[in-house]
Amino acid sequence: MRLVESGGGSVQSGDSLTLSCEVSGATAMDYCIQWFREAPGKEREPIATSDRDAKKYYADDIKGRFGLSRGNAKNGVLLQINSAKPEDTGRYYCATGPWRIFCRSLTRRTWFTRWGQGTQVTVSS
């Protein structure tokens, strides 16, 4: 299985962009897929979870601005970033949990078994 993130770029504060996590070699719905953000000088942190039952979980600092979607993705998950802020800057990674296991919440990094290479988002003020 392979994960490929795309859609990152440089935007202005207040702009929107959509990140894609495409899964190949497996069926995305068999996995909980979580997005992580690694800001400059900080650890990689979980920000949004798309669970196998379509439930979604978000970190407090992005609730109301970020949105997850599986329905519009080919075989993966989209992360919509709205009203981007400079603090959203970082490298965004998606990762999958174990096969056919639910996440049930934002989940610690060590639980995830497969990772993409990340896509960079830079938000300037």
Side-chain angles (χ1 to χ4, degrees):
M1 178 171 68
R2 185 173 178 229
L3 306 179
V4 177
E5 302 94 334
S6 62
S10 295
V11 298
Q12 298 289 319
S13 184
D15 286 349
S16 297
L17 71 167
T18 301
L19 307 184
S20 173
C21 172
E22 187 169 348
V23 176
S24 60
T27 300
M29 285 306 301
D30 284 341
Y31 298 87
C32 166
I33 299 176
Q34 187 160 288
W35 283 93
F36 294 76
R37 178 176 62 208
E38 189 170 316
K42 295 187 178 181
E43 291 189 357
R44 196 174 301 182
E45 59 177 357
I47 58 170
T49 308
S50 176
D51 216 339
R52 295 187 52 237
D53 55 1
K55 289 186 178 177
K56 304 167 188 177
Y57 308 97
Y58 299 96
D60 288 341
D61 64 331
I62 67 165
K63 280 181 183 176
R65 294 194 301 116
F66 287 30
L68 286 164
S69 172
R70 290 211 190 210
N72 293 329
K74 289 183 182 179
N75 184 39
V77 176
L78 303 179
L79 180 67
Q80 175 78 32
I81 301 174
N82 299 311
S83 303
K85 300 179 179 181
E87 51 263 44
D88 296 330
T89 293
R91 192 161 185 87
Y92 286 70
Y93 298 85
C94 65
T96 57
W99 184 67
R100 292 192 175 177
I101 302 295
F102 292 86
C103 281
R104 302 298 188 197
S105 68
L106 278 178
T107 304
R108 66 187 186 281
R109 174 181 175 178
T110 54
W111 191 76
F112 291 85
T113 56
R114 299 274 187 164
W115 292 80
Q117 82 291 346
T119 186
Q120 179 68 33
V121 173
T122 303
V123 184
S124 54
S125 57

